Amino acid sequence: MNILIIHTAFIGDIVLSTALVSKVKEKYPDSDIYYLTTPLGKEILKNNPKIKEIIIYDKRGKDRGFKAFISFVRKIRKLKIDVCLTPHRYLRSSILSFLSGAKIRVGYDIANLSFVFNKKIKYDKTKHEVEKLLSFIDDSPKRFELEMYPNEKDKVKIDTILKNLAKDKKIILIAPGSKWFTKKWPEEYFRTLIQNLVKRDDLLVVITGGKEEKEIELNLDSKVLDLRGEISLLELAELTKRASLVVSNDSAPIHITSAFPNTRIVGIFGPTVKEFGFFPWSENSKVFEINGLYCRPCAIHGGNFCPEKHFRCMREITPDLIENEIYNYIDKVKADE
């Protein structure tokens, strides 16, 4: 049986969908799984032994336009897909599912053009995103973990970066970025946290993010390892695997780290809430948020400014709260060693 998964969303969404890949392979062990995603999505899924082929749909590049779209559809139909699973709820993905040639097409009941699916999954807002994805197969309560597969080259790269730096130290990985301004904990709070963490000789503070995160002014001490824009997504995965703790806004690093449950996650949630379904899947996590705030949540993806102009959802999560959480966890880990 040939099974196609169509998901061309954000990095974090693709990471979360790796649990669905695992469930598909467990239920249909003899199936061939094809995964249609973006070029960036491929970077997340590379080396996954459960996926036969990752199909890149470059919707903003070479596959843009009507002719390219028709050519791409022909490529999909040659695979002779039996079942098409489409967690992405938007127009183009629904059309691709319909044109895939699959006899069984599964998608959410609230998706654009949902009538093209002959099996509709209820989009239950009360569930975590991973639970929603797993429901594409059945309603079994069995838990499936997120999976990422750094290869030997990725491991060597991180070995080289950390050489002589992490000896006898616990790695604290800090991800200060987000696409949305209101999802970002204030720069000055990150600066204060980092300045205090480097005072401890038993910690190695590492900053991560894309090139765009370099614009965040952190005034880093020479003891801090700044890897913003320097490593790939799978190299980041290898780094989070080695870290003791990751501090992140409500953004992709939370989900990447969830693939490595031995690493503690400290999530900072401002305008968004856990009930949206995108809180850490890892049970080794703690989310900091201001409960009971009248204006929260304000938007599912955050925004470019605080509508109320006070930004209390982030400003009331002070650096000392995060710092104490880090110290308490690290000291506990050391006591258990």
Side-chain angles (χ1 to χ4, degrees), residues 153-195:
K153 185 178 178 181
D154 301 319
K155 295 172 185 177
V156 169
K157 172 78 174 281
I158 299 304
D159 281 339
T160 303
I161 289 172
L162 296 178
K163 188 177 181 180
N164 300 326
L165 292 176
K167 186 178 180 182
D168 301 323
K169 292 187 177 185
K170 303 296 184 186
I171 297 172
I172 307 298
L173 187 60
I174 296 179
S178 172
K179 182 178 178 180
W180 306 100
F181 171 79
T182 55
K183 277 189 175 183
K184 294 179 185 177
W185 202 43
E187 289 182 10
E188 62 269 28
Y189 285 12
F190 274 115
R191 285 198 292 269
T192 298
L193 175 66
I194 293 165
Q195 288 164 5

Side-chain angles (χ1 to χ4, degrees), residues 145-157:
E145 300 301 336
L146 309 186
E147 296 180 345
M148 293 185 68
Y149 294 90
N151 63 17
E152 194 59 33
K153 185 178 178 181
D154 301 319
K155 295 172 185 177
V156 169
K157 172 78 174 281

Side-chain angles (χ1 to χ4, degrees), residues 42-232:
K42 181 182 179 179
E43 295 306 306
I44 291 290
L45 300 167
K46 277 196 308 189
N47 311 321
N48 189 322
K50 297 168 185 174
I51 299 174
K52 180 178 177 65
E53 183 182 347
I54 301 169
I55 303 164
I56 299 177
Y57 180 44
D58 190 3
K59 57 187 176 183
R60 294 184 176 87
K62 67 179 181 64
D63 297 317
R64 186 178 180 181
F66 181 73
K67 285 185 178 179
F69 182 79
I70 294 302
S71 177
F72 188 81
V73 167
R74 289 195 185 109
K75 176 182 175 181
I76 298 301
R77 292 181 72 90
K78 287 180 182 178
L79 298 174
K80 300 190 182 303
I81 299 300
D82 299 295
V83 178
C84 184
L85 310 176
T86 309
H88 199 232
R89 306 190 307 275
Y90 299 96
L91 183 68
R92 204 162 2 192
S93 294
S94 296
I95 294 172
L96 280 170
S97 177
F98 180 68
L99 297 177
S100 69
K103 293 180 181 178
I104 300 173
R105 299 180 302 278
V106 188
Y108 285 120
D109 57 352
I110 64 167
N112 288 332
L113 302 184
S114 63
F115 64 85
V116 306
F117 302 114
N118 47 31
K119 181 179 179 183
K120 295 182 180 65
I121 303 298
K122 178 178 171 53
Y123 188 81
D124 188 343
K125 293 181 179 179
T126 67
K127 291 182 177 180
H128 190 285
E129 182 68 12
V130 173
E131 294 173 312
K132 294 189 193 85
L133 291 164
L134 295 176
S135 69
F136 269 69
I137 302 304
D138 57 43
D139 292 326
S140 164
K142 180 177 177 179
R143 180 181 173 90
F144 286 81
E145 300 301 336
L146 309 186
E147 296 180 345
M148 293 185 68
Y149 294 90
N151 63 17
E152 194 59 33
K153 185 178 178 181
D154 301 319
K155 295 172 185 177
V156 169
K157 172 78 174 281
I158 299 304
D159 281 339
T160 303
I161 289 172
L162 296 178
K163 188 177 181 180
N164 300 326
L165 292 176
K167 186 178 180 182
D168 301 323
K169 292 187 177 185
K170 303 296 184 186
I171 297 172
I172 307 298
L173 187 60
I174 296 179
S178 172
K179 182 178 178 180
W180 306 100
F181 171 79
T182 55
K183 277 189 175 183
K184 294 179 185 177
W185 202 43
E187 289 182 10
E188 62 269 28
Y189 285 12
F190 274 115
R191 285 198 292 269
T192 298
L193 175 66
I194 293 165
Q195 288 164 5
N196 289 338
L197 291 177
V198 296
K199 294 175 183 176
R200 282 187 53 156
D201 293 332
D202 59 340
L203 303 179
L204 173 64
V205 179
V206 183
I207 313 300
T208 188
K211 291 180 180 179
E212 61 276 14
E213 265 78 67
K214 288 186 175 183
E215 297 177 2
I216 301 174
E217 295 289 341
L218 297 176
N219 300 336
L220 299 176
D221 185 281
S222 60
K223 296 179 182 178
V224 177
L225 181 57
D226 187 359
L227 296 180
R228 288 175 290 179
E230 301 296 328
I231 57 176
S232 69

Side-chain angles (χ1 to χ4, degrees), residues 296-330:
R296 183 174 179 267
C298 68
I300 191 167
H301 290 303
N304 293 321
F305 59 90
C306 170
E308 299 295 312
K309 298 185 171 54
H310 53 61
F311 207 24
R312 286 177 57 193
C313 64
M314 280 299 198
R315 293 203 166 276
E316 291 185 10
I317 304 173
T318 53
D320 60 294
L321 295 174
I322 307 300
E323 186 179 344
N324 289 335
E325 171 64 21
I326 293 171
Y327 293 156
N328 290 338
Y329 180 76
I330 294 299

